[in-house]
Amino acid sequence: MARYQLLYFPLRGRGQATRYLFIDKGIVYEEINTGNNWVEDFKPKMPFGQAPLLKDLENGFEIAQSNSMIRYLGRKEGLYPEDIKEAAKVDMICDHIEDIRGPYVRMIYQNYENGKDDFVKSLEEKLQYIEKLFKAWGTDYIASKISFADYNLLDLLDDLVISSATCLDAFPTLKAYYDRMASRPALKKYRESEEFKKMPVNGNGKQ
Ligand SMILES: N[C@@H](CCC(=O)N[C@@H](CS)C(=O)NCC(=O)O)C(=O)O
């Protein structure tokens, strides 16, 4: 029986990190496609007028904002480090992910033709910070065990590699991390599925 509902459009976007977490941890969930009559049936019911929304079917609680959703799952599903320094590591990587994802989304939806080259150029600086931290921390995941933030980073790196196939070439530690995440058995199987391959990366066909 499903434990959660994910209400979102049929695209990767801001729902994919949550899907990765569910799939990797074998958590049964159902998708509700908010693309069917979005403006009439869904938008008015969303706390901030936007999707995604997560419903916890065990207690009826509803969470909006993709980063809050995945943190909630982190806490509820044992994917948030108990140690405060380890927790701070995953938090800081999540905040840095948002510092990349925000400009990525704006480039995709508002300035693709004129902005993509500059966005790709900006990645070198932004990714080298993660490379340096990962080298210093020396763990297989952001913290010593997999956490909610690793699914967020996997999804971000997917987006970036699609935009620029060579963007990880100068960052061997980050590249090895990306390959390690993508080859986790449940994720690998899902990423090879037709369901995943046919899912658009963004809502406007740009990537
Ligand atoms: N900060 C929000 C952003 C959500 C967002 O931008 N949602 C878009 C789709 S990805 C949306 O609902 N667009 C339709 C609308 O605003 O009416 C989050 O992280 O969840």
Side-chain angles (χ1 to χ4, degrees), residues 154-174:
L154 171 63
D155 174 55
L156 177 82
L157 294 176
D158 281 343
D159 291 346
L160 302 185
V161 166
I162 290 169
S163 283
S164 163
T166 56
C167 71
L168 297 182
D169 286 1
F171 308 115
T173 313
L174 189 52

Side-chain angles (χ1 to χ4, degrees), residues 8-9 11 13-14 38-39 43 48-52 64-67 69 98 105 109:
Y8 195 50
F9 301 99
L11 49 96
R14 285 186 175 272
W38 163 248
V39 174
K43 190 172 172 72
F48 304 106
Q50 290 190 312
Q65 294 287 1
S66 55
N67 291 318
M69 285 165 38
E98 196 52 39
V105 170
Y109 288 100

Side-chain angles (χ1 to χ4, degrees), residues 1-5 27-30 57-58:
M1 213 174 84
R3 293 178 52 209
Y4 296 96
Q5 272 179 352
I27 296 169
V28 182
Y29 73 105
E30 46 187 48
L57 298 176
E58 284 170 354

Side-chain angles (χ1 to χ4, degrees), residues 34 37-38 47 50 54 69 109 135-136 142 169 171 189 196 199:
T34 54
N37 265 340
W38 163 248
Q50 290 190 312
L54 178 72
M69 285 165 38
Y109 288 100
K135 262 193 194 137
I142 300 169
D169 286 1
F171 308 115
K189 189 169 165 220
F196 176 77
M199 182 105 75

